[in-house]
Amino acid sequence: MATDAHGSEAETADAYAELVERFERINGVQGAAGVLGWDQQVMMPEGGTPARSQQLSVLSSLGHELLTDDRTAELLEEVESMDLDADQAALLREARREFERADAVPTELVEEISETSTEALGAWEQARAEDDFEQFAPYLETLVDLKRQYAEHIDPDRDAYEVLFEDYEPCLPLSQAEDILETLKETLVPMIDEIRESNADVTTDAFDGEFPADAQEDLSRDVLSTLGYDWDRGRLDVSSHPFTSGNVYDCRVTTRYDESDPLGGLMATVHEFGHAFYNLGLPEEHFGTPLGESRDLSVHESQSRLWENHVGRSPAFWELVTPKFEERFDTDATAREAYESANQVYEDNLIRVEADELTYHLHIVIRFEIEKALISGELDVEDVPEVWNDKYEEYLGLRPETDANGCLQDIHWSHGNFGYFPTYSLGSVLASQLFNAAEDDIGNIYGTVREGDFETLQEWLRENIHEHGSRYETNDLVREATGEDFTADYFVDYVTTKYGDLYDLEESV
């Protein structure tokens, strides 16, 4: 009997090793698709879309088949019976979630979504360039329908948008996200109104002028080096929409440059650095397994928004970076003037990625409300531009004159990424909570930022967020890092204090 038990234990241990190996293979296929996706947006010639569509479809279906193979199910059942340690239990949890979700969706539908989204990306880029929503509308309509089918296969008894939201944030209920978005609306709408009525003398023109793209790129590279970007494992390129792609060994960032707006390109670069720094800090020993993955998009966005806003829009950062501007451009703004311009609340900005820190979240709310209505069938695709423009007028007092500056501004719908947008605001909220916890542990972070020393903050993020990979679910990770439940309180305190000081607002705001 002892021999049999020992043999059974060995077989179960072998099952765990085989499960890990299987997910490493799946990750390899997905990683290859990621490189091809990066290439499509950065390097691929315009005529390459038909071949790229076929290539990505094959990889998508191959990864799906590996994941949903009967052997995967058998291994999950065998490992379930093991006496697992904490890391093994976390890996099993993540693997089972990924398997069960994928297993519910037919391979043919996965292929169709992949092919359509690849074609939709090219259509979106052309439609945006030519300011013609009708070019993109048929692809959007198809993707909405395909994603409804996708959600129906996963759980026909639940709201489709709630199911889609779980692709990007599986560990937080949609109701929690909606509560946080509602808190942001209640906080920010009156604050923005009061700011627009304020007579505070805030510098808004520190970045007026012409700023050549090559000099902006040089500045972005300098700032990335200053922040500690690992060039041996990364690169900087230009794309129509800034993004980050990669893993702990190879993580690449992109940005874009507007020669009349150097702040947009620089802040996008700092934002993407936050994403890349997270990926590059994931546990190497778990690379290729579910445990070595990042903890979904709310946490990922917390890293990019922490670096963009709490670091990149701070007075200390501008004391460090303003001389770098002066080296490359004909500017004479002081660090304080640059800080004020970088944090001004715009009255006329229509573009989310160029938005100020406050109105940014109203851009998110608008997109969130529209895509929920699209998925539920309450809104037809053909009506998106008009509804988009109406909501911008209602929430921001602006009406886009073009679809390029309106409903075509973001890339996400061309990927079929419905449910993604709430994570941007969730990430901003979490960034405030994490930065506050880091300050409690470290002390004066801005004193080190002013000197160009980011190592202490980076070590805190590595230890408390990055090195855990997916060991903890989101709410548990927040409690581990901060000692408290996930809350919007720190974000509300942060923006109330910061913009109250900047715009001389009443304390009651």
Side-chain angles (χ1 to χ4, degrees):
M1 293 294 293
T3 301
D4 290 342
H6 180 75
S8 177
E9 289 175 7
E11 289 173 6
T12 306
D14 289 344
Y16 182 83
E18 185 180 343
L19 180 68
V20 170
E21 182 181 0
R22 175 165 288 260
F23 272 85
E24 288 174 342
R25 287 173 60 81
I26 294 166
N27 179 270
V29 173
Q30 294 171 339
V35 173
L36 288 181
W38 171 87
D39 176 77
Q40 182 182 12
Q41 296 184 60
V42 176
M43 303 291 289
M44 189 186 79
E46 292 183 6
T49 297
R52 187 53 44 86
S53 175
Q54 186 265 352
Q55 293 158 357
L56 288 172
S57 176
V58 169
L59 288 174
S60 177
S61 61
L62 179 58
H64 187 263
E65 288 166 4
L66 279 169
L67 179 57
T68 59
D69 187 82
D70 289 344
R71 183 56 181 158
T72 307
E74 293 169 2
L75 289 169
L76 288 168
E77 290 304 313
E78 290 181 43
V79 172
E80 192 87 58
S81 66
M82 288 178 62
D83 183 14
L84 302 173
D85 63 28
D87 280 358
Q88 291 172 330
L91 186 147
L92 176 64
R93 179 195 67 221
E94 298 299 315
R96 179 167 289 284
R97 179 191 291 126
E98 190 174 344
F99 166 77
E100 290 178 349
R101 200 167 177 86
D103 190 49
V105 183
T107 300
E108 295 79 9
L109 180 56
V110 173
E111 290 178 353
E112 190 173 1
I113 290 171
S114 176
E115 289 177 1
T116 303
S117 60
T118 303
E119 294 165 1
L121 174 59
W124 168 77
E125 289 178 331
Q126 184 171 346
R128 184 171 175 268
E130 298 179 9
D131 185 30
D132 183 7
F133 178 76
E134 290 185 3
Q135 290 188 44
F136 179 58
Y139 297 91
L140 178 57
E141 191 162 3
T142 300
L143 284 169
V144 167
D145 179 62
L146 291 174
K147 282 301 185 137
R148 286 179 186 147
Q149 294 179 45
Y150 173 89
E152 177 85 6
H153 281 289
I154 292 172
D155 193 336
D157 298 324
R158 292 169 55 212
D159 175 72
Y161 188 84
E162 184 178 359
V163 175
L164 296 177
F165 173 70
E166 291 171 349
D167 271 348
Y168 312 104
E169 184 44 79
C171 304
L172 295 177
L174 181 61
S175 58
Q176 186 175 0
E178 290 174 323
D179 287 345
I180 288 174
L181 287 174
E182 187 61 32
T183 297
L184 298 189
K185 282 175 64 175
E186 292 174 355
T187 300
L188 297 178
V189 169
M191 182 182 294
I192 291 166
D193 286 343
E194 186 166 355
I195 285 171
R196 287 177 174 172
E197 295 173 359
S198 170
N199 293 319
D201 184 17
V202 175
T203 302
T204 61
D205 60 358
F207 304 109
D208 286 357
E210 289 296 318
F211 301 84
D214 57 349
Q216 289 193 52
E217 180 181 354
D218 184 63
L219 175 64
S220 287
R221 291 182 178 277
D222 187 354
V223 169
L224 283 173
S225 295
T226 301
L227 292 175
Y229 187 49
D230 186 348
W231 292 104
D232 288 338
R233 295 185 290 163
R235 54 182 290 134
L236 172 68
D237 293 279
V238 174
S239 63
S240 59
H241 189 99
F243 72 99
T244 298
S245 177
N247 53 61
V248 67
Y249 297 109
D250 173 3
C251 195
R252 310 169 186 192
V253 300
T254 74
T255 191
R256 64 187 181 195
Y257 306 112
D258 178 343
E259 296 197 340
S260 65
D261 176 27
L263 183 66
L266 179 61
M267 287 296 99
T269 300
V270 175
H271 178 99
E272 299 305 332
F273 165 80
H275 283 305
F277 189 68
Y278 184 13
N279 284 350
L280 293 170
L282 292 170
E284 293 184 23
E285 66 271 22
H286 297 300
F287 171 68
T289 78
L291 197 62
E293 296 294 312
S294 59
R295 178 68 288 164
D296 305 308
L297 287 186
S298 296
V299 176
H300 230 307
E301 287 301 325
S302 78
Q303 301 307 287
S304 59
R305 298 295 279 173
L306 185 150
W307 285 97
E308 177 189 355
N309 291 332
H310 292 268
V311 175
R313 295 185 190 272
S314 69
F317 181 81
W318 285 102
E319 289 181 35
L320 175 68
V321 170
T322 300
K324 298 180 184 294
F325 262 86
E326 293 175 348
E327 291 172 10
R328 293 167 176 84
F329 308 112
D330 184 20
T331 60
D332 58 2
T334 66
R336 178 66 191 185
E337 290 168 338
Y339 163 74
E340 291 181 0
S341 288
N343 287 281
Q344 64 182 291
V345 177
Y346 299 112
E347 295 187 5
D348 58 355
N349 183 265
L350 293 163
I351 308 299
R352 176 187 64 84
V353 296
E354 299 170 3
D356 58 79
E357 196 174 5
L358 300 187
T359 59
Y360 178 91
H361 297 285
L362 300 184
H363 291 262
I364 301 300
V365 168
I366 290 168
R367 175 81 66 160
F368 171 63
E369 291 178 354
I370 288 176
E371 65 180 25
K372 275 191 70 179
L374 276 173
I375 296 299
S376 71
E378 297 173 16
L379 175 64
D380 293 330
V381 166
E382 64 182 3
D383 296 326
V384 165
E386 183 178 2
V387 172
W388 180 284
N389 295 346
D390 288 346
K391 285 184 177 291
Y392 265 72
E393 191 163 23
E394 178 185 357
Y395 293 176
L396 289 165
L398 307 169
R399 192 169 188 87
E401 295 183 359
T402 68
D403 291 338
N405 285 335
C407 60
L408 288 174
Q409 65 179 264
D410 274 314
I411 199 172
H412 302 72
W413 285 347
S414 73
H415 292 319
N417 289 350
F418 305 103
Y420 188 115
F421 269 80
T423 64
Y424 283 122
S425 287
L426 292 171
S428 294
V429 166
L430 180 53
S432 293
Q433 187 169 352
L434 293 176
F435 195 84
N436 181 81
E439 279 193 312
D440 283 348
D441 289 346
I442 296 169
N444 181 16
I445 293 175
Y446 289 124
T448 62
V449 169
R450 190 172 286 108
E451 299 300 321
D453 178 4
F454 301 95
E455 187 174 344
T456 306
L457 175 59
Q458 290 171 346
E459 288 176 353
W460 191 93
L461 293 170
R462 288 283 195 244
E463 179 181 342
N464 289 279
I465 302 296
H466 305 174
E467 292 176 359
H468 293 305
S470 290
R471 170 188 257 193
Y472 301 111
E473 294 191 325
T474 304
N475 280 322
D476 292 332
L477 179 63
V478 174
R479 281 189 286 269
E480 287 287 329
T482 71
E484 298 178 283
D485 290 337
F486 189 10
T487 175
D489 291 349
Y490 291 100
F491 176 84
V492 172
D493 290 346
Y494 161 68
V495 294
T496 299
T497 300
K498 177 177 179 177
Y499 288 92
D501 291 343
L502 196 58
Y503 281 92
D504 297 332
L505 303 183
E506 297 293 332
E507 292 184 2
S508 60
V509 173

